[in-house]
Amino acid sequence: MIGPYVLPDDVFDALAAGAGGRPAVLLLLRARRSRNLLLLRRALDGPCGRAVEPAADLLAGVERVAPEAARPVIDGPAFGTWAARTLRDCPAHHRGGCAGRDLAALAVLAAVRAARPARVTVPVREGRLRLPGLGTVTGLGETPEALVVVEAPAGAEGAPGTSAGSCRVRVLTAAGERVLPRDPSRPGHGWQPVAVLDARHRGLTLRLPLETAAPELPALETASAGPAAWQDLLRQAWELLVDNHPRRAEELAAGLNGIVPLPAPARGVASATSRHAFGTVLTSWPADPERLALTLLHEFQHSKLSALTDLVTLYESGGRPRLYAPWRPDPRPPGGLLQGIYAHLGDLAFWQERSGSRHGPAQADAAWRLAQTRAHVERGLTEAASHVRLTALGTRFLERLARTVRDGDREGTGAGAGSGGERLARAVARVQAGDEAVWRLRWAAADDAGTERLAALWRAGRPAGPLPAEDVRAATGAVAGPGPEFGRWAARQRGAERARPAREAADAVLAAPDRAQGWAELAAAAAEEDRPGADVLRARTELVRDLCVRLTARQPATPPGTAPPRPPDPLALAAWLTDPAAEDGQKTGVSMSQNARSPLAKTSATG
């Protein structure tokens, strides 16, 4: 009988606080398994049903005799992404490329694990037959499909079938036959197995396939960092997590189900999750155990929130469609903003511990990252509270999350209080103010008619009144960060006692109004000096810049023999835009940036 899942209040609140613990993860895992089975039912009833049916029958047969062999497939990295593609955007219903046929590749693993005899046709693409959880058969030429035959010893059905010699797997094509090694975890001619990484520490075990064979996930070689290197790195990362984050390590042991290796980016580490693949972490080679531990914490937060939002609704449509997230170079939708906030709670816990346990330069670096992560979460909370239409549960979720951040701040871990902590906080605030200013110059545009109205009011010496509407453009394609110039400036702030004087920064902006870095320095300096209009310089940078350029371009002609008038001062313009005499201007232009000053208090008050 089908019934709804009930999410207990204490489990919801524990998840909102950032962790949740093993029981919460197991509940989310069961809910996601039910969701995947419902998606399978929809696929069978849809246009791809005939392509799905043979593999679905095989899975159902395995589940009857050996449920422990079928469940890892249904819970595994590839099942949810397969179902989503089949139901949403299958490119070739009822034709040779139908995505529904890929379920057969997943069902082979269940048959092998259950030692269940099976004959199933699996698609071949680019000469490769990819069997998730097992491995990849290579060198099959241009054949479009292969018949996979699983042969098991008599009487073995229902027993675990992954031990060496328990099953014989044959791959038949028009060109001939391939037989997989008796132990499918060992390489063979034309056979690349999926390695299983195993880490054990203090009674907690983490077993993760290094998944390179899932049809719906990237197909990548691991030669640059092979299974042995991943195994050693995971072992060290797991020891770090179990020793320093035991509750979260229990969550990971219960919910993680695979690592998918990604290509290395030009700098840093690339990592991601798919909302359809609960517990699967996609990551490039992290190079050190600390980075891998942080990546696992961060990405599993995404998985937890994706599974939670299958059960509850945290926000409704109707808010701003594109929002500022200080950890991203591009605008984010409401759901993406909430995901980022939640994922950074994992980072916050990580850096709180590291900043308290390290010494010397390593401690200083961890303290910086802790302060920056906390500032990111706080700013994300104010953005969500101001511009996302939260439900009652969404408000409760963010309030509980904000309490976690406040509690961590009161602990004073790492950054601490006193002059050192205050200096660090000022430096982080400068970088964040500059980043937001540059982001707004890149993505936000003020209404032309509204900006022209403001220009006329300025020339007439009248109050600004309500600020014009803004539009945040959508990102298309890959988006890079704010650029090396900003990166160099941000790096210098870590050692700077204070910002460049605001007056000096304003003069530099007047000399080069199109230079985004100058506006970043001005926004940071005005905020640090608590200048009138500092909020607008940060939260409506594009408006101040456009108004400054517009007024400069339309200066009256200078009589002969007289000095030309100075262009409008951006500090004076920003102060004018927040003139208390203009009530409507305060309501439309200042409230969001006022939130940026005290985000956690504002979140609790407004949701």
Side-chain angles (χ1 to χ4, degrees):
M1 187 173 77
I2 296 177
Y5 269 85
V6 177
L7 186 66
D9 285 346
D10 60 335
V11 174
F12 177 85
D13 289 336
L15 287 167
R22 177 182 171 85
V25 170
L26 291 176
L27 186 150
L28 294 177
L29 182 61
R30 291 193 301 271
R32 178 51 67 97
R33 183 182 304 144
S34 296
R35 174 184 181 270
N36 284 349
L37 290 172
L38 289 172
L39 292 178
L40 176 58
R41 181 69 264 169
R42 283 185 58 195
L44 284 166
D45 293 340
C48 293
R50 292 180 63 185
V52 173
E53 189 172 3
D57 288 344
L58 175 56
L59 267 178
V62 170
E63 204 279 334
R64 282 192 296 271
V65 298
E68 71 282 355
R71 284 174 189 164
V73 174
I74 298 167
D75 298 341
F79 193 96
T81 48
W82 163 80
R85 182 168 181 259
T86 301
L87 292 170
R88 289 185 181 181
D89 58 358
C90 176
H93 291 308
H94 300 308
R95 299 197 298 275
C98 176
R101 300 169 67 241
D102 287 325
L103 181 62
L106 282 66
V108 170
L109 175 62
V112 170
R113 284 183 167 173
R116 180 181 178 85
R119 297 172 64 89
V120 62
T121 300
V122 181
V124 175
R125 295 185 177 91
E126 299 178 350
R128 291 172 172 252
L129 174 70
R130 302 170 66 190
L131 302 173
L134 283 176
T136 302
V137 181
T138 62
L140 295 180
E142 298 182 0
T143 183
E145 60 186 26
L147 177 65
V148 178
V149 180
V150 178
E151 300 172 347
E157 184 174 356
T162 53
S163 58
S166 58
C167 284
R168 184 170 184 253
V169 181
R170 301 160 57 211
V171 177
L172 307 176
T173 67
E177 177 184 84
R178 296 277 190 92
V179 180
L180 271 57
R182 280 288 188 177
D183 181 355
S185 66
R186 300 179 65 85
H189 176 66
W191 173 246
Q192 299 172 350
V194 168
V196 178
L197 311 179
D198 190 303
R200 304 167 189 264
H201 188 58
R202 294 189 174 180
L204 274 181
T205 299
L206 189 66
R207 287 180 57 83
L208 300 176
L210 191 65
E211 185 59 81
T212 53
E216 302 299 322
L217 297 170
L220 299 170
E221 306 291 348
T222 57
S224 59
W230 278 99
Q231 172 64 55
D232 185 57
L233 196 68
L234 182 66
R235 177 187 56 78
Q236 297 177 69
W238 189 236
E239 291 176 1
L240 187 158
L241 288 168
V242 172
D243 287 342
N244 301 301
H245 305 276
R247 190 167 187 234
R248 290 180 182 268
E250 290 176 354
E251 289 187 354
L252 297 175
L256 281 183
N257 60 24
I259 292 178
V260 177
L262 295 177
R267 296 179 58 188
V269 175
S271 65
T273 53
S274 165
R275 76 170 315 273
H276 304 295
F278 179 84
T280 303
V281 174
L282 292 78
T283 180
S284 60
W285 173 244
D288 66 77
E290 181 178 87
R291 183 60 201 231
L292 179 56
L294 177 62
T295 297
L296 295 180
L297 287 177
H298 181 98
E299 298 302 339
F300 192 60
Q301 290 290 106
H302 284 305
S303 278
K304 288 193 296 182
L305 186 55
S306 293
L308 178 64
T309 53
D310 287 342
L311 303 176
V312 299
T313 300
L314 300 180
Y315 69 95
E316 300 171 343
S317 60
R320 286 191 184 178
R322 291 179 285 275
L323 304 168
Y324 172 65
W327 51 84
R328 289 283 298 239
D330 52 342
R332 302 301 293 153
L337 177 66
L338 296 182
Q339 278 281 357
I341 294 170
Y342 194 66
H344 276 79
L345 283 189
D347 300 27
L348 197 62
F350 183 85
W351 292 119
Q352 279 176 336
E353 186 281 325
R354 300 308 273 174
S355 63
S357 62
R358 289 177 153 200
H359 303 281
Q363 192 279 335
D365 181 68
W368 171 266
R369 294 178 186 276
L370 171 61
Q372 189 173 52
T373 301
R374 180 178 290 121
H376 283 173
V377 174
E378 290 175 353
R379 183 63 186 90
L381 284 167
T382 65
E383 187 80 348
S386 299
H387 303 306
V388 178
R389 292 189 60 185
L390 298 167
T391 63
L393 279 177
T395 300
R396 175 175 161 185
F397 186 84
L398 285 193
E399 287 176 347
R400 185 64 188 86
L401 194 156
R403 193 184 313 158
T404 297
V405 180
R406 286 197 302 270
D407 291 346
D409 197 22
R410 281 197 295 267
E411 289 175 7
T413 307
S419 59
E422 292 169 2
R423 177 174 175 175
L424 179 62
R426 288 198 304 272
V428 168
R430 287 196 295 272
V431 174
Q432 188 160 297
D435 178 80
E436 188 164 354
V438 170
W439 184 92
R440 294 202 63 84
L441 291 177
R442 186 177 191 182
W443 299 108
D447 175 69
D448 281 343
T451 307
E452 182 57 39
R453 176 186 62 80
L454 286 175
L457 291 170
W458 169 270
R459 287 191 291 266
R462 297 172 56 192
L467 301 190
E470 59 179 299
D471 175 52
V472 174
R473 296 182 291 272
T476 57
V479 177
E485 187 180 17
F486 179 84
R488 289 190 293 269
W489 173 81
R492 289 196 299 270
Q493 301 315 302
R494 294 182 63 167
E497 178 64 35
R498 56 165 294 151
R500 183 182 191 181
R503 179 68 269 157
E504 184 181 315
D507 291 340
V509 160
L510 290 174
D514 291 329
R515 181 172 171 260
Q517 183 56 50
W519 289 98
E521 293 186 7
L522 178 58
E528 189 160 278
E529 296 177 16
D530 199 20
R531 291 267 187 157
D535 294 330
V536 170
L537 277 168
R538 171 181 177 157
R540 293 300 301 271
T541 320
E542 78 292 348
L543 176 61
V544 183
R545 193 270 309 270
D546 291 356
L547 186 56
C548 187
V549 170
R550 192 179 297 258
L551 289 168
T552 301
R554 299 183 63 176
Q555 290 278 10
T558 303
T562 61
R566 282 181 58 83
D569 178 11
L571 286 171
L573 275 176
W576 174 72
L577 289 171
T578 54
D579 188 339
E583 290 187 12
D584 289 338
Q586 283 187 304
K587 292 177 182 176
T588 59
V590 183
S591 60
M592 183 263 285
S593 51
Q594 284 177 337
N595 284 348
R597 289 185 174 180
S598 53
L600 300 183
K602 197 68 176 180
T603 298
S604 297
T606 66

